Amino acid sequence: MSYATVQDYLGWVDVTSAPAGIGRVLDVASTRVDELLVGVIYDTDSRGSPTDLELADVLRRATCEQALFMLESGDTTGAGTFTQQTVGRVSWTRGQGSGKSQDVSQRYAPGAVSILHVEGLTPVYVVR
């Protein structure tokens, strides 16, 4: 389930046609937003969508910003954020030839993080 529609994305970036695969990109972008919201508690409907309209708008904007970031960076899957991996004595590198690899700190769109932060959704503090 995506927090944003193709129409939302088109309006956000102010274009008239969507890039190929935008539906999947919005789904992945929504997952990235969810990763940033771990620990945030809010009411949802039966589909898992927020019931608060203001919150739904914040998540829509953050998702569109994350999708734009993913498309502009050329990494719509997140594979480019992990260029080197080591497990035990085995180590491998991937994404080396693309020139668009990012380190893991670039998994999230700075604009999406800003939207969530300004709206008070990050950082999350657990209250006991």
Side-chain angles (χ1 to χ4, degrees):
M1 182 222 50
S2 178
Y3 292 121
T5 65
V6 173
Q7 287 305 114
D8 293 333
Y9 178 81
L10 293 174
W12 183 257
V13 297
D14 196 25
V15 296
T16 56
S17 63
I22 189 63
R24 184 188 56 76
V25 172
L26 288 169
D27 287 344
V28 174
S30 293
T31 299
R32 296 291 176 271
V33 169
D34 281 341
E35 290 171 359
L36 294 168
L37 295 176
V38 169
V40 175
I41 299 170
Y42 55 90
D43 292 328
T44 61
D45 61 19
S46 60
R47 294 179 350 164
S49 298
T51 56
D52 181 282
L53 296 179
E54 288 180 33
L55 176 61
D57 181 60
V58 170
L59 299 184
R60 177 191 58 76
R61 290 185 289 127
T63 297
C64 288
E65 187 64 25
Q66 181 68 36
L68 177 61
F69 173 81
M70 293 165 59
L71 288 164
E72 286 184 346
S73 71
D75 184 8
T76 60
T77 65
T81 60
F82 301 102
T83 58
Q84 188 170 19
Q85 185 79 28
T86 302
V87 178
R89 290 191 226 165
V90 178
S91 180
W92 67 91
T93 303
R94 61 181 168 169
Q96 204 169 14
S98 71
K100 293 185 178 182
S101 288
Q102 310 161 353
D103 63 41
V104 75
S105 68
Q106 293 301 311
R107 182 173 177 87
Y108 307 106
V113 173
S114 289
I115 289 167
L116 297 173
H117 181 72
V118 166
E119 296 295 339
L121 296 171
T122 61
V124 174
Y125 300 103
V126 178
V127 178
R128 294 181 183 211

